[in-house]
Amino acid sequence: MSPIASLHSADREASVDLPVGDLVALLLIFSQAWESGDLWQTGREPMPLMRSTLLKRMDMLGFTEQVAVSDFLAHGNEWVYDLERNDLADEDDDEDEGSKKSAAYLQELLNAEKGFRWPAWSDKSARLAEDLATYWIDEYENYPRESTVIRTALRVFRPDERVYFQTSQHALFDLTPGEVEWQEDQFPLPLSLDRYRSSLAWKNTKPIVLVEGSFDCKVIQAAFEVERPDYADCLSIADFSQGAEGGAGGLRRTLRTLAQLEIPNTVVGLFDNDAAGVEAVNLLRKDKMPPHIGYAVYPDMEFARSYPTIGPTGPARADINGRALSIEHFLGLDCLMQGNDFLPVEWTGYNRRVGVYQGSVIDKAQIQSRFENKRKRARLKAPDPSDDWTGLQVLADFVIDRICEIAGRR
């Protein structure tokens, strides 16, 4: 098998060939972190991503560590045997000895059986990863799935090392999702990638995030745009421009409808962390949802444990997590403040199914307006020193973790 691509470090002289024939998988994982060797293309610089970021992107897309572990448990002993025989065969004593050392190290790791896991980065583990990738180039019978090859090859690099991939072949992507037709010397790679991105195949492989309303969509988009841009193209966020039904009840019904369809995507539904959201999640737990569809309420916030509220008996401080915490509470403390305290939550009614009062923060329009102005400043690269994005960081990381959780159980 001839490698169609190689991984390169942007920080030092280090690279490893990839025996991967599926350029679609590489595109999904590396996105803009590629550099073409295409002679028709000039002036393009790679956009390297940290190795840890690339592995997390693989988790989000369903190319999980659990899948790689299953490949090692199924075929690892055969790989040990071949590395011991040194099928890399360079007639170099140092290389021979290195391959045998890698075989012994892999056997040591496999002895843990179901406890097998790839070790922390070291010269020893990096050498094993490189030897395996080199061995797989010429191996056919014991070749693992390509996501395992990519994850293993990435282990050559340190966690904080910036990596990109380079390819020199041309590819024409068929518009049928998942199908690739090789047409060497017909189309330059950039054109092929652009065509693939515009096809349904690209959208049909990304996780889908569903939320309660159009403003929630804007907030999550901003969270990735500002705080986690390296993951922004790894997910598709619901579009409410066609008048989709909103609210906790609407989102629950949408998830139940999707559960009846054979869609390939990982789907995550995110509810406000209020009484209505908690009720919807409790009801979904009683439904038989398929493993690729998950749901959750937004995470608790520490500042919300003692938050100003207004009720029939007057003002009081209370824990609003699970009762009145909405997307607005993730926009930043600068958007929520009124004088020396937060804009209060007003209690609106009692939810008998959950057993708590439902509430809503007052003056949402003002909060949202402050956020829109802050987002504009970020886009213009003219932030105000008081702009607070910590809530959006929490939200983006929460979304990533939920996607990885659902993708990992498929």
Side-chain angles (χ1 to χ4, degrees):
M1 175 180 292
S2 299
I4 66 164
S6 57
L7 299 184
H8 296 265
S9 169
D11 304 323
R12 61 190 173 104
E13 291 293 328
S15 65
V16 58
D17 287 335
L18 275 179
V20 174
D22 187 359
L23 200 58
V24 174
L26 287 169
L27 170 62
L28 286 168
I29 296 163
F30 289 87
S31 184
Q32 301 298 319
W34 58 272
E35 178 182 63
S36 175
D38 189 351
L39 296 178
W40 295 14
Q41 183 188 37
T42 58
R44 190 186 191 287
E45 293 293 330
M47 298 174 62
L49 298 173
M50 286 197 304
R51 191 205 79 176
S52 57
T53 298
L54 289 165
L55 289 174
K56 179 70 77 172
R57 286 173 63 91
M58 293 188 75
D59 290 338
M60 292 176 67
L61 293 165
F63 304 120
T64 63
E65 183 69 9
Q66 294 95 314
V67 171
V69 167
S70 67
D71 276 345
F72 272 89
L73 293 178
H75 304 290
N77 289 323
E78 299 167 60
W79 301 338
V80 168
Y81 175 74
D82 285 337
L83 286 174
E84 284 177 340
R85 292 190 301 128
N86 191 27
D87 282 349
L88 308 181
D90 262 340
E91 296 185 0
D92 184 318
D93 290 339
D94 292 337
E95 289 294 320
D96 290 352
E97 184 62 28
S99 180
K100 290 179 173 60
K101 286 181 178 179
S102 289
Y105 186 35
L106 178 56
Q107 185 63 68
E108 178 185 331
L109 297 174
L110 291 170
N111 287 341
E113 296 180 347
K114 291 185 178 180
F116 171 86
R117 67 182 183 87
W118 194 268
W121 189 93
S122 66
D123 290 338
K124 190 176 179 181
S125 66
R127 177 58 190 266
L128 171 59
E130 185 172 6
D131 282 348
L132 282 170
T134 303
Y135 156 62
W136 286 329
I137 287 175
D138 297 319
E139 179 56 50
Y140 293 93
E141 294 180 359
N142 298 334
Y143 183 74
R145 72 196 88 198
E146 291 177 322
S147 61
T148 299
V149 175
I150 298 170
R151 288 193 80 97
T152 303
L154 281 169
R155 307 289 190 180
V156 172
F157 307 95
R158 293 185 294 268
D160 62 346
E161 197 163 357
R162 297 175 305 138
V163 181
Y164 64 95
F165 89 90
Q166 184 180 60
T167 182
S168 58
Q169 290 202 35
H170 306 291
L172 173 63
F173 292 97
D174 193 0
L175 290 180
T176 303
E179 293 184 357
V180 180
E181 179 185 1
W182 291 107
Q183 296 282 344
E184 285 194 349
D185 302 323
Q186 296 292 325
F187 293 89
L189 182 64
L191 179 61
S192 300
L193 295 181
D194 288 342
R195 180 176 177 183
Y196 181 72
R197 279 197 177 93
S198 67
S199 73
L200 290 176
W202 173 250
K203 294 182 179 179
N204 284 351
T205 51
K206 295 197 290 185
I208 297 172
V209 176
L210 300 176
V211 291
E212 290 192 21
S214 57
F215 185 69
D216 299 61
C217 295
K218 289 182 181 180
V219 173
I220 293 178
Q221 287 168 350
F224 280 88
E225 176 185 314
V226 176
E227 291 298 320
R228 296 293 181 263
D230 291 342
Y231 301 98
D233 65 330
C234 276
L235 72 161
S236 178
I237 303 172
D239 181 5
F240 277 77
S241 62
Q242 301 301 319
E245 182 181 9
L251 176 53
R252 177 183 170 233
R253 285 186 284 274
T254 299
L255 291 171
R256 294 184 68 185
T257 299
L258 291 177
Q260 302 172 49
L261 304 175
E262 295 182 356
I263 61 171
N265 309 67
T266 294
V267 178
V268 180
L270 298 176
F271 295 84
D272 282 346
N273 192 353
D274 57 12
V278 172
E279 177 188 356
V281 166
N282 289 342
L283 291 172
L284 282 169
R285 290 194 180 110
K286 299 177 181 178
D287 298 327
K288 294 182 178 179
M289 305 295 285
H292 70 284
I293 296 181
Y295 46 84
V297 296
Y298 295 130
D300 288 357
M301 295 294 279
E302 188 62 33
F303 71 84
R305 300 192 187 283
S306 179
Y307 196 90
T309 67
I310 302 173
T313 59
R317 303 194 79 84
D319 186 349
I320 63 170
N321 290 304
R323 303 167 70 187
L325 192 75
S326 64
I327 193 71
E328 283 78 17
H329 291 103
F330 293 88
L331 302 184
L333 302 185
D334 53 326
C335 296
L336 291 169
M337 297 301 292
Q338 178 177 263
N340 296 322
D341 207 347
F342 300 114
L343 284 162
V345 157
E346 184 175 23
W347 299 119
T348 55
Y350 187 74
N351 188 310
R352 295 187 180 278
R353 285 186 174 178
V354 182
V356 298
Y357 278 92
Q358 170 82 21
S360 178
V361 66
I362 68 170
D363 210 351
K364 283 189 176 183
Q366 179 184 345
I367 296 172
Q368 294 177 6
S369 176
R370 290 174 178 176
F371 171 73
E372 293 288 3
N373 290 333
K374 180 168 67 173
R375 188 181 185 187
K376 288 178 183 178
R377 291 195 294 271
R379 286 178 167 177
L380 294 172
K381 308 296 183 185
D384 188 280
S386 64
D387 289 346
D388 174 25
W389 293 94
T390 53
L392 273 292
Q393 185 180 97
V394 169
L395 187 62
D397 288 341
F398 178 78
V399 173
I400 291 171
D401 289 343
R402 295 291 74 73
I403 290 174
C404 292
E405 176 189 342
I406 305 306
R409 71 189 192 195
R410 299 188 65 172

